[in-house]
Amino acid sequence: MALSKNSGGHRGMQESMYSVIALVFILVACVELCDAAAAIDVYRLIQYDMSGSAYGSRFAALNHHAASLHFPPGADLSRAVLVIPLRELNITFVREYINQKKPLGGLLFLLPDIFSFENGGNKQVHEKEQLKNLLAELEQLLIHANIPYPVYFAFENDEIDTVLADIKKNDAIGQPATATTGGYKLVIPTPEPKKVASPTITNIQGWLSGLKADGDTNQLPTIAIVASYDTFGAAPALSVGSDSNGSGVVALLEIARLFSLLYSNPKTRGRYNLLFGLTSGGPYNYNGTQKWLRSFDQRLRESIDYAICLNSIGSWDNELWIHVSKPPENAYIKQIFEGFSNVAEEMDIKVGLKHKKINISNPRVAREHEQFSRLRVTAATLSEISTAPELLQGTGGLYDSRQFVNETAITRGVKLVAESLARHIYGHQGKNVQIFADGGSLAVNPAYIQSWLDLLSQTPRVAPFLSKNDPFVMALKKELADHTDEVNMQHEVLEGVFTFYDSTSARLNIYQVASVTFDLLLLLVLGSYLIVLFSFLVITTRGLDDLISLFRRPPSRKVKTA
């Protein structure tokens, strides 16, 4: 019986010891990662290949300590993530680090709320423009560089501001976050990005039939109104393109609504067919527009009197530009320009003409109308931008947010285009006739424009990440179907020199970690506590002699044999 009791006491001691040891392991494991300071949504820099060359951020996973721009001279940043608010950005420093391939653990850029989806921000106009220009410069640097570490964007908030203040304070006193000093650790446990297989682009076509005269068997002439709806930016999950080309899409939908009212009555239906095209692949050499045009049969293509492409008409003051490929002396170009100029003069705005000849040997096109011109279809692009953009420039980047677009500008642009088209269709060129007069039943609807602009300003639209059944694509189709007789969708594979990678957004966990010194001190305290606890348990269950025997040196093998 005594043996049984002794055995039970021994088992109780063992169980107690196992519990304590398990507790110690849990405490030690949690020393570094139990104190979460914040968890925020972050958006990864785009990763893509162009003609076999790698661009953008090539990694997604993150597990490094945080540092600020106040790091001490000579600090090793190879295992550090620099947290940089846009308003404190030194673009020269970032360019130097990227171009010279200096070792860095990662970059996290903090954007002011004026660039968020919400209509926030109370900054002064001058400060807004400064931040916009700085962000545009940063974006061009990042998307044209090969960056061998993770790069993310996030929006400022109270949590991240508090964390950044602590990071700055530690860096300022010469104690940047390391394994020995502690600090903050940024963790994004995400798998490495994979290639997007067979990315699709979707073109949406709406058709309003004109009215034929009795006995007329000839095909009616057609006017095409076109806008590319997708975007490209440094962060695909944030690339909403409110102006480029959200403004063009909104304008096209409102023009379709206005002419649907006119064409719904046989008495006011014009003797022109109207073709509305919402095209994809715009940032990639207008790849979708090219495929859409090549799907036309020859009769339809030859029936197009001219096409007007709408791009970036949401932030102009008093001047718009008509870009053409044919020389200004061309009779068709003169007719288009004079029609727009007459209406513009009545509206007290200016319209300029920009001619850029197409280089047939160069497949690169700067504007959408050039794809029409390559197929010998007269076309023009209406835009607030006077110069031709470079590839992947001005296609809906981070800086192109709702705060920088004015729906009044879009309203005036819609009225300019609608009046010019109507006078051409109804033969009122040179006449001061207002078909879409303010206050009338055919007036431009600012509320309609604002609602669609708000939706577009909250919807990232980078083509490789938009499926053919994406809710936004289907919403465009439905809206165009409400205003036209016939709607068709064309699904194509995005072809060309581009390859894209997934993993566009993630959840960033920010942990406040203790230093190794603290860890060692904690382990010392826990170890001392365990020794005392173990000694107490042995004494109370088996006696002092057993405790002493545990630490006594065992007899040698020879003594045992003797």
Side-chain angles (χ1 to χ4, degrees):
M1 183 68 92
L3 180 62
S4 177
K5 287 182 178 180
N6 189 33
S7 176
H10 183 66
R11 282 197 302 270
M13 181 186 70
Q14 284 184 325
E15 290 173 359
S16 300
M17 285 296 301
Y18 291 151
S19 299
V20 173
I21 292 172
L23 176 62
V24 170
F25 277 117
I26 292 172
L27 288 172
V28 171
C30 292
V31 161
E32 286 221 350
L33 300 180
C34 276
D35 191 7
I40 60 173
D41 293 322
V42 291
Y43 309 92
R44 193 169 79 97
L45 174 65
I46 195 166
Q47 178 180 349
Y48 69 100
D49 301 336
M50 183 169 63
S51 299
S53 299
Y55 295 96
S57 174
R58 310 310 294 183
F59 292 93
L62 198 62
N63 189 3
H64 294 314
H65 286 86
S68 71
L69 287 176
H70 301 281
F71 61 87
D76 179 14
L77 299 178
S78 61
R79 298 284 296 171
V81 179
L82 281 181
V83 183
I84 307 176
L86 180 65
R87 54 173 56 90
E88 298 176 13
L89 175 65
N90 183 336
I91 192 70
T92 304
F93 165 82
V94 176
R95 181 178 286 108
E96 176 184 320
Y97 251 82
I98 292 175
N99 292 342
Q100 296 182 13
K101 305 292 184 184
K102 293 187 177 182
L104 193 62
L107 285 169
L108 174 62
F109 294 101
L110 301 181
L111 307 178
D113 59 357
I114 59 172
F115 298 105
S116 67
F117 294 154
E118 291 77 22
N119 297 328
N122 296 312
K123 305 295 179 186
Q124 298 295 324
V125 173
H126 178 64
E127 185 181 1
K128 281 184 179 181
E129 286 298 323
Q130 279 187 324
L131 291 174
K132 177 182 177 182
N133 295 335
L134 182 60
L135 185 54
E137 186 177 0
L138 172 66
E139 190 161 15
Q140 286 300 303
L141 168 65
L142 296 177
I143 66 176
H144 292 297
N146 180 348
I147 305 178
Y149 44 78
V151 180
Y152 283 92
F153 300 89
F155 291 107
E156 295 175 341
N157 58 32
D158 293 339
E159 286 182 315
I160 194 67
D161 288 346
T162 301
V163 169
L164 182 59
D166 282 349
I167 296 171
K168 288 180 179 178
K169 184 172 63 177
N170 293 335
D171 288 349
I173 61 177
Q175 289 186 344
T178 63
T180 56
T181 62
Y184 289 91
K185 180 168 279 190
L186 308 186
V187 179
I188 300 177
T190 186
E192 288 309 312
K194 298 178 181 178
K195 291 182 179 181
V196 178
S198 302
T200 60
I201 52 177
T202 301
N203 298 316
I204 309 169
Q205 172 185 303
W207 182 268
L208 270 178
S209 300
L211 182 66
K212 287 188 177 183
D214 292 338
D216 188 358
T217 58
N218 295 324
Q219 185 173 1
L220 292 177
T222 302
I223 294 177
I225 303 97
V226 187
S228 180
Y229 66 82
D230 61 337
T231 58
F232 178 93
L238 295 177
S239 185
V240 298
S242 295
D243 192 11
S244 177
N245 187 31
S247 61
V249 173
V250 172
L252 182 144
L253 292 176
E254 174 63 354
I255 292 168
R257 188 190 70 82
L258 292 173
F259 277 95
S260 71
L261 296 175
L262 272 175
Y263 275 48
S264 63
N265 186 343
K267 294 181 179 180
T268 56
R269 187 186 303 174
R271 298 197 63 203
Y272 275 81
N273 298 319
L274 294 180
L275 175 63
F276 296 93
L278 289 167
T279 59
S280 184
Y284 322 112
N285 222 36
Y286 293 98
N287 189 252
T289 309
Q290 180 189 45
K291 293 178 181 295
W292 180 54
L293 292 175
R294 293 192 181 279
S295 71
F296 292 175
D297 60 48
Q298 186 175 353
R299 287 188 64 202
L300 173 57
R301 197 179 303 160
E302 291 177 351
S303 76
I304 298 177
D305 201 8
Y306 69 86
I308 183 74
C309 304
L310 308 174
N311 188 286
S312 301
I313 58 170
S315 60
W316 57 285
D317 291 324
N318 201 44
E319 187 171 21
L320 287 170
W321 297 91
I322 294 178
H323 299 268
V324 295
S325 300
K326 294 181 178 180
E329 300 78 22
N330 180 278
Y332 295 103
I333 298 301
K334 287 179 67 176
Q335 184 182 36
I336 295 171
F337 180 63
E338 288 176 1
F340 275 79
S341 297
N342 291 336
V343 176
E345 187 177 350
E346 294 168 15
M347 295 178 62
D348 197 26
I349 58 179
K350 296 179 182 178
V351 173
L353 186 67
K354 290 280 185 177
H355 170 234
K356 175 181 170 290
K357 189 177 180 180
I358 291 178
N359 181 359
I360 298 297
S361 61
N362 184 2
R364 160 88 173 113
V365 296
R367 299 192 180 277
E368 190 164 17
H369 74 270
E370 294 179 25
Q371 291 290 13
F372 286 85
S373 298
R374 285 175 178 270
L375 296 177
R376 303 184 185 279
V377 177
T378 302
T381 293
L382 182 70
S383 176
E384 69 212 5
I385 302 170
S386 60
T387 57
E390 298 295 328
L391 184 64
L392 303 181
Q393 183 182 42
T395 52
L398 290 170
Y399 59 90
D400 191 354
S401 64
R402 180 70 175 83
Q403 288 295 309
F404 300 96
V405 179
N406 182 2
E407 56 263 32
T408 302
I410 301 177
T411 300
R412 297 174 74 199
V414 167
K415 189 171 182 180
L416 171 64
V417 176
E419 288 286 358
S420 302
L421 294 179
R423 293 187 188 186
H424 182 84
I425 292 170
Y426 297 105
H428 294 160
Q429 293 97 326
K431 300 177 183 178
N432 189 357
V433 178
Q434 285 201 36
I435 296 176
F436 304 101
D438 295 338
S441 60
L442 293 175
V444 178
N445 187 346
Y448 180 87
I449 289 174
Q450 181 177 345
S451 64
W452 268 98
L453 183 60
D454 290 344
L455 175 62
L456 285 154
S457 299
Q458 298 172 18
T459 310
R461 305 185 302 283
V462 178
F465 307 104
L466 277 179
S467 68
K468 60 184 180 181
N469 295 319
D470 187 90
F472 174 75
V473 174
M474 301 310 292
L476 285 180
K477 176 189 176 184
K478 181 181 181 302
E479 190 64 26
L480 202 55
D482 288 344
H483 305 313
T484 57
D485 303 329
E486 180 185 338
V487 169
N488 296 311
M489 297 180 73
Q490 178 191 22
H491 306 296
E492 298 282 352
V493 175
L494 177 61
E495 296 176 351
V497 298
F498 290 91
T499 302
F500 294 90
Y501 294 78
D502 61 10
S503 186
T504 60
S505 61
R507 187 75 171 169
L508 169 66
N509 295 304
I510 305 175
Y511 298 106
Q512 190 167 14
V513 297
S515 66
V516 169
T517 305
F518 176 78
D519 292 352
L520 293 175
L521 181 61
L522 179 61
L523 287 173
L524 179 62
V525 171
L526 288 172
S528 302
Y529 170 74
L530 280 175
I531 293 172
V532 172
L533 179 61
F534 177 76
S535 301
F536 174 77
L537 291 173
V538 172
I539 292 172
T540 56
T541 57
R542 301 177 62 183
L544 181 61
D545 291 341
D546 280 358
L547 177 64
I548 295 173
S549 67
L550 289 173
F551 297 99
R552 185 180 296 160
R553 185 177 180 181
S556 65
R557 185 181 299 273
K558 291 182 180 179
V559 173
K560 285 183 179 181
T561 304

